[in-house]
Amino acid sequence: MIAKRNHKHALLGAFGMTLALGTMAPAASAADAITFVSWGGTTQEAQKNAWAEPFTEETGIRVIQDGPTNYGKLKSMVDSGNVNWDVVDVEGEFALRAAKQGLLEPLDYDVIDKEPLDKRFVSEHGVGSFFFSFVLAWNTNTYSDGGPQNWEDFFNVEEYPGKRMVYKWPTAGVLEMALLADGVEPDNLYPLDVDRAIDKLETIEDHLAFWGSGAESQQALASGEVAMCFCWNGRVFELLQDEAPVDYTWNDNLTHADFLVVPKGTENREEAMKFIAHAVSAEGQADFANRSAYTPINKKSDPMVDSEIRPHLSTAHPDEQVSMSLEYWAEEGPAISEKWNEFVLQ
């Protein structure tokens, strides 16, 4: 067990943050403040501590926290011309798709140093905020003699009884996991056989629950409400820091990335670019990694990451890793969403 860190958050406080974010004030006027939007919980708390607070100390520009990220709300703001979000943490495939839809400002790479950044996560309208994995985690009180070790076990309700939890939103991850469990080789995942994946999930529909936020997945897993969970590695890491009864495996972990984007029409474009430059700097990425166990996208951050944290990063487990295609999801996501939503609502 890694020693618990002295950050200014406790697990329950982080859960509460998800609810509190929506009540925060709208963005302040240009130049003196910007509004940063993310997913809430422990992830946004780490972003606040690693990025927002040092940025304010350095520039004098306040960073107002809001959230959780909502794609429909972002689009409505841009379409109406009433944009009060300045920097938003989004999933990588949404960043690529939103750029094509004209919803995002181009990033200013004269301000943002892209040279040391992982090129997979650099685009004209978005840049990686962190790199992570979906992993299989379980409650150790439920499985005291050893938990599930692969996605096939996730579907084995006879040997591993109990509720399972997966991400409720139609985005990269759950369908890939189901196909891997059904015997599809990682190199043959794309294009996804969506019907096959949903058929596989339907075999355990009576044992299936859905989480809509990282905080929700943490709470359900730690409390024993669910026996196992398909969830973000950083959220499991935070549970371990709080000595929750959980464990996890990196077998067939599914890698993904979040991006930072700037909604088109913000009045604080210049300040937004400065904030992103700080967030993706070597120091900003390393500080965030040390607080969250999410992998830096800045290659110069590696020497700054604590040795105790390194085993919990996605990059420490390349042999067990399956890479998901942001480009595929950017193109096919809307069509897949229709089938996925029918499955979730049935």
Side-chain angles (χ1 to χ4, degrees), residues 309-324:
I309 301 296
R310 292 178 185 276
H312 296 272
L313 299 181
S314 299
T315 43
H317 306 274
D319 294 339
E320 299 93 355
Q321 206 160 87
V322 178
S323 295
M324 293 188 288

Side-chain angles (χ1 to χ4, degrees), residues 205-218:
E205 61 183 342
D206 292 339
H207 307 270
L208 206 55
F210 299 92
W211 56 268
S213 70
E216 186 180 359
S217 71
Q218 288 174 300

Side-chain angles (χ1 to χ4, degrees), residues 42-341:
T42 54
T43 298
Q44 189 160 355
E45 184 74 5
Q47 290 171 325
K48 183 180 109 174
N49 292 334
W51 301 344
E53 292 177 353
F55 176 75
T56 298
E57 291 177 9
E58 179 182 321
T59 66
I61 301 169
R62 292 183 298 120
V63 180
I64 299 170
Q65 302 289 320
D66 199 359
T69 295
N70 183 308
Y71 300 149
K73 188 173 181 179
L74 187 154
K75 185 177 187 303
S76 294
M77 284 183 183
V78 175
D79 289 345
S80 68
N82 184 25
V83 178
N84 54 28
W85 287 353
D86 300 306
V87 179
V88 186
D89 189 302
V90 303
E91 292 158 307
E93 67 273 15
F94 175 80
L96 299 179
R97 186 163 60 248
K100 293 183 178 180
Q101 295 171 343
L103 300 177
L104 305 178
E105 295 280 350
L107 298 187
D108 186 347
Y109 286 111
D110 288 332
V111 176
I112 303 164
D113 181 10
K114 68 179 181 179
E115 187 279 326
L117 306 183
D118 188 322
K119 300 302 185 285
R120 293 175 297 170
F121 311 128
V122 176
S123 68
E124 183 179 355
H125 294 83
V127 65
S129 55
F130 59 90
F131 178 37
F132 66 95
S133 292
F134 284 106
V135 296
L136 172 56
W138 62 89
N139 185 288
T140 55
N141 289 334
T142 303
Y143 304 123
S144 56
D145 296 328
Q149 294 300 308
N150 51 53
W151 299 123
E152 290 88 345
D153 289 346
F154 191 88
F155 288 83
N156 187 345
V157 296
E158 288 75 26
E159 187 171 351
Y160 299 99
K163 281 284 186 183
R164 290 97 159 97
M165 201 171 221
V166 299
Y167 201 17
K168 72 180 288 186
W169 305 116
T171 187
V174 179
L175 297 180
E176 286 90 337
M177 177 271 285
L179 291 171
L180 291 171
D182 204 40
V184 176
E185 292 297 322
D187 291 343
N188 296 327
L189 279 173
Y190 300 101
L192 295 176
D193 188 334
V194 177
D195 291 334
R196 179 176 174 178
I198 290 176
D199 287 346
K200 182 68 173 178
L201 289 163
E202 286 178 339
T203 65
I204 57 169
E205 61 183 342
D206 292 339
H207 307 270
L208 206 55
F210 299 92
W211 56 268
S213 70
E216 186 180 359
S217 71
Q218 288 174 300
Q219 193 168 36
L221 185 61
S223 68
E225 178 185 341
V226 298
M228 65 180 75
C229 184
F230 167 90
C231 51
W232 298 320
N233 70 283
R235 297 297 181 138
V236 182
F237 173 79
E238 291 290 347
L239 290 176
L240 292 173
Q241 302 317 291
D242 288 305
E243 299 181 353
V246 301
D247 201 356
Y248 71 121
T249 177
W250 286 96
N251 291 333
D252 285 341
N253 71 91
L254 290 150
T255 59
H256 204 314
D258 268 24
F259 276 44
L260 296 175
V261 300
V262 177
K264 190 174 185 63
T266 174
E267 294 181 357
N268 302 319
R269 186 177 184 277
E270 181 179 346
E271 291 78 15
M273 299 303 163
K274 291 178 181 178
F275 177 80
I276 292 176
H278 176 85
V280 302
S281 68
E283 295 80 6
Q285 286 285 296
D287 192 0
F288 178 68
N290 286 329
R291 296 171 184 273
S292 66
Y294 288 131
T295 304
I297 60 103
N298 191 313
K299 296 177 182 179
K300 291 183 178 179
S301 300
D302 293 346
M304 305 177 195
V305 177
D306 294 346
S307 59
E308 293 177 323
I309 301 296
R310 292 178 185 276
H312 296 272
L313 299 181
S314 299
T315 43
H317 306 274
D319 294 339
E320 299 93 355
Q321 206 160 87
V322 178
S323 295
M324 293 188 288
S325 173
L326 300 182
E327 292 77 14
Y328 174 83
W329 275 95
E331 291 294 329
E332 302 298 330
I336 292 174
S337 294
E338 294 183 15
K339 289 187 176 182
W340 175 257
N341 289 332

